Amino acid sequence: MILAVDIGNTNISVGSFSDKKLISHFRIDNKVLINQKATTLPIKPSLLNESKNIIIASVNPDIESVFYKSLAEIHIKKILKIGREIELKIPILVENPQTVGIDRVLNALAAYRNTGTSTIVIDFGTAITIDVVSQKGEFMGGLILPGIRTSAYALNKQTALLPEVNIKRPAKIIGKNVEDAIKGGIYFGTVGSIIHIVKELNRSYGYLEYTIATGGDAKTFKKDIPEIDKFIPYLTLEGIKLAFEENLKNLNS
């Protein structure tokens, strides 16, 4: 059994894989990890002890440091990191490959292994990333938008009177109060942006065979973005598992 750990900007996603299948998964709020003592890492000790390897991918250095310290406090040493001990076997065709978020590349890897052809990958998280994988399995680059919670937070912090609201699909597009106006603006603005971007990507690159969505907010948009062919909730964890499997020969040598 292996434990895949995706350290993000808001949450840590943890998935346990056995016989190549995801058998359990959960999320840890980053604030919980910061506020707790290292010896109270919110992962069952049995899960850590039963895992042959703990594979970590991170886009958040500060939380990563806290997580490593927490593991060290309970004497867990069987840790491998994506990009350090584990190489990503996917061509990254951008100007500065080292600056691309590891989660984006893992999503691309997992998406391509799933479809075997050209794919658009949309990850609905703190930021919304929209990336393109070529027919040959190359990471071509993409776009980054603010996520719905990030947009709501920014509106609240950058204005004097607008409240911070929980974004979900409003019943009507026109809001009859400030809260619903914000919900509608952010929700339908995001929908419109993604539909237009997918259209432009297909126009620019020729027809891309699949569009896959993942991330914590992906299901929120399922009804209004018919361009999405597949929803894979834990695509990044799948990417971590695949990257580990593709490096097994080197790790065992």
Side-chain angles (χ1 to χ4, degrees):
M1 186 169 71
I2 68 167
L3 199 66
V5 180
D6 171 27
I7 301 176
N9 291 302
T10 305
N11 298 291
I12 299 172
S13 294
V14 181
S16 178
F17 288 87
S18 180
D19 295 327
K20 299 186 178 183
K21 293 183 179 180
L22 182 64
I23 58 173
S24 67
H25 52 79
F26 57 92
R27 284 192 171 95
I28 303 168
D29 189 315
N30 287 352
K31 294 176 183 177
V32 172
L33 187 64
I34 291 172
N35 292 335
Q36 287 188 345
K37 294 181 180 179
T39 52
T40 57
L41 183 69
I43 300 177
K44 292 181 180 179
S46 59
L47 189 59
L48 293 169
N49 293 326
E50 290 170 10
S51 300
K52 290 184 178 179
N53 289 284
I54 299 171
I55 320 300
I56 292 177
S58 173
V59 297
N60 191 327
D62 292 339
I63 297 298
E64 178 186 348
S65 177
V66 174
F67 192 82
Y68 270 98
K69 182 179 178 182
S70 300
L71 291 177
E73 288 286 338
I74 53 177
H75 308 292
I76 300 295
K77 297 180 180 179
K78 49 193 175 182
I79 305 166
L80 301 171
K81 185 180 178 182
I82 303 291
R84 189 175 64 195
E85 292 88 359
I86 296 179
E87 177 187 355
L88 282 170
K89 299 181 183 295
I90 177 173
I92 304 173
L93 305 185
V94 300
E95 292 177 1
N96 298 299
Q98 68 275 12
T99 65
V100 179
I102 201 75
D103 53 342
R104 295 171 64 192
V105 184
L106 288 165
N107 285 343
L109 174 68
Y112 185 74
R113 296 293 183 267
N114 183 281
T115 66
T117 189
S118 57
T119 305
I120 298 170
V121 188
I122 308 171
D123 189 344
F124 292 89
T126 306
I128 298 171
T129 58
I130 306 173
D131 294 309
V132 173
V133 188
S134 75
Q135 196 168 17
K136 296 179 181 179
E138 303 154 322
F139 180 89
M140 303 299 292
L143 304 91
I144 301 175
L145 294 73
I148 55 175
R149 289 177 180 80
T150 303
S151 294
Y153 178 81
L155 272 181
N156 171 247
K157 295 302 179 184
Q158 297 298 321
T159 62
L161 298 176
L162 294 181
E164 186 175 357
V165 298
N166 182 32
I167 305 301
K168 58 183 179 180
R169 190 186 193 279
K172 298 179 180 179
I173 191 168
I174 296 179
K176 296 295 187 180
N177 55 62
V178 172
E179 288 80 4
D180 284 347
I182 294 171
K183 289 178 185 178
I186 293 175
Y187 179 86
F188 289 111
T190 301
V191 168
S193 295
I194 290 172
I195 289 174
H196 180 72
I197 288 168
V198 169
K199 179 181 177 181
E200 285 299 304
L201 288 174
N202 279 305
R203 185 182 65 81
S204 298
Y205 283 90
Y207 179 68
L208 298 162
E209 295 288 338
Y210 286 94
T211 298
I212 290 178
T214 190
D217 294 319
K219 286 187 177 180
T220 303
F221 294 94
K222 187 174 183 179
K223 180 177 180 179
D224 291 299
I225 308 178
E227 287 78 5
I228 296 173
D229 301 300
K230 294 184 178 183
F231 286 84
I232 305 178
Y234 297 97
L235 191 67
T236 313
L237 294 178
E238 292 285 348
I240 293 172
K241 183 259 297 182
L242 286 167
F244 171 73
E245 291 174 348
E246 293 178 1
N247 279 264
L248 271 177
K249 185 176 180 180
N250 292 335
L251 291 170
N252 292 330
S253 61

